[in-house]
Amino acid sequence: QLGSEAIVENSFRANDLTEYLIFIEAYIRSNRLPKALELSQQVINWAPSMRPALCAVWLRTENAMLTGFNCK
């Protein structure tokens, strides 16, 4: 909940895009998959080089196949 509020209200801006991985994993683990997908896509749009790190999070939580998150 706090993560959503911070990001939505733009009060949280990551200094390093890897900081978003914590939020994405928390969304996945709390079954908020649409929010996790949305934030993952935003991070990829900002920095395509983040895809391997995002894929590691999605694969670690075993949800990449369920959501169709593209790890290629």
Side-chain angles (χ1 to χ4, degrees):
Q1 173 105 15
L2 290 175
S4 292
E5 291 173 14
I7 293 170
V8 168
E9 294 173 10
N10 290 321
S11 61
F12 176 79
R13 288 251 195 257
N15 292 322
D16 182 331
L17 291 177
T18 60
E19 293 175 16
Y20 286 111
L21 297 176
I22 295 166
F23 291 103
I24 292 166
E25 186 163 352
Y27 289 142
I28 294 168
R29 293 190 183 278
S30 62
N31 205 31
R32 296 178 64 197
L33 300 179
K35 184 65 181 170
L37 275 171
E38 176 186 340
L39 186 54
S40 295
Q41 284 302 319
Q42 286 178 340
V43 170
I44 288 172
N45 289 340
W46 295 326
S49 62
M50 288 289 297
R51 186 179 296 276
L54 287 164
C55 286
V57 169
W58 281 94
L59 293 172
R60 180 172 57 244
T61 60
E62 301 177 356
N63 280 289
M65 296 295 210
L66 293 175
T67 62
F69 184 75
N70 184 5
C71 285
K72 296 178 184 176

